[in-house]
Amino acid sequence: MKLILENWMKNMTENKELRHIASVFILDEKDRVLIIRRAKNADKNPNLWEVPGGHVDPEDDTYLDAAVREAQEEVGLKVSDLIKLDTEEYYNRIKHFFVTDQYKGSVIIVKNPLTGVLEHSDFKWATLEDIKSLKQQSRVSVYLMEKAIKIIRGKE
């Protein structure tokens, strides 16, 4: 079984570029997180809820810079004072998560400025209980949301 798993992992990662992804948990004063729903015609994870984020681009100096840019591009918010939340590695991806409760602007879903594609169709401010009830409809980690709330409220 171990050999099968090792071969599968090698096949999944072989000849594939390592990609870094930066995402941000944006919390409001009621400890709700901003989540966005992938468009129903999205090529990956259609109709699933997630936090704003995306690939780190060559022009991003840091992962934090990428998270700030992605929040602006995906939901129109200017975020600041981001705190490192966690890093997760799987296959050929490394996801860098940040959290903040500092943002300016109004949430707006717009087309991707590079592709012109509408990647998301909806947004909402979700409580921890909302995230738990979404189950398979969401890519938002309950563990990370709990950790984000603790960090922002100074309990961690």
Side-chain angles (χ1 to χ4, degrees):
M1 183 68 170
K2 184 178 177 184
L3 183 58
I4 293 171
L5 182 59
E6 287 173 1
N7 286 336
W8 180 79
M9 288 293 291
K10 181 181 176 187
N11 186 40
M12 291 299 292
T13 58
E14 197 171 83
N15 299 321
K16 292 187 180 181
E17 180 182 340
L18 181 65
R19 298 296 309 247
H20 288 267
I21 298 166
S23 298
V24 59
F25 281 71
I26 304 170
L27 296 178
D28 71 3
E29 67 283 348
K30 297 178 184 175
D31 291 340
R32 298 179 301 179
V33 67
L34 177 63
I35 58 175
I36 51 181
R37 186 194 302 256
R38 305 270 308 161
K40 66 180 178 182
N41 59 347
D43 59 340
K44 294 180 184 173
N45 305 307
N47 288 319
L48 292 183
W49 292 95
E50 61 187 2
V51 295
H55 292 114
V56 175
D57 291 343
E59 65 270 13
D60 296 319
D61 290 331
T62 65
Y63 304 130
L64 187 143
D65 291 339
V68 169
R69 177 186 50 74
E70 286 289 343
Q72 180 72 49
E73 287 178 4
E74 291 193 339
V75 295
L77 295 180
K78 183 171 179 60
V79 295
S80 60
D81 300 330
L82 279 70
I83 300 168
K84 183 71 176 187
L85 181 59
D86 213 332
T87 301
E88 294 179 350
E89 294 185 40
Y90 62 101
Y91 309 121
N92 62 331
R93 305 225 186 282
I94 300 176
K95 294 185 88 172
H96 307 272
F97 292 98
F98 297 88
V99 60
T100 189
D101 63 351
Q102 301 298 306
Y103 57 91
K104 292 182 181 177
S106 298
V107 178
I108 182 169
I109 303 293
V110 296
K111 292 179 179 178
N112 180 307
L114 296 176
T115 65
V117 173
L118 188 63
E119 296 176 350
H120 298 92
S121 60
D122 199 5
F123 74 90
K124 67 179 172 179
W125 292 95
T127 65
L128 183 57
E129 293 307 314
D130 293 335
I131 298 300
K132 288 177 181 178
S133 71
L134 287 173
K135 298 184 181 165
Q136 280 80 21
Q137 300 171 43
S138 173
R139 294 178 56 207
V140 181
S141 163
V142 170
Y143 163 76
L144 287 179
M145 184 165 173
E146 288 173 335
K147 187 174 178 179
I149 292 168
K150 286 179 183 176
I151 288 172
I152 290 297
R153 300 301 163 231
K155 298 176 184 172
E156 189 164 297

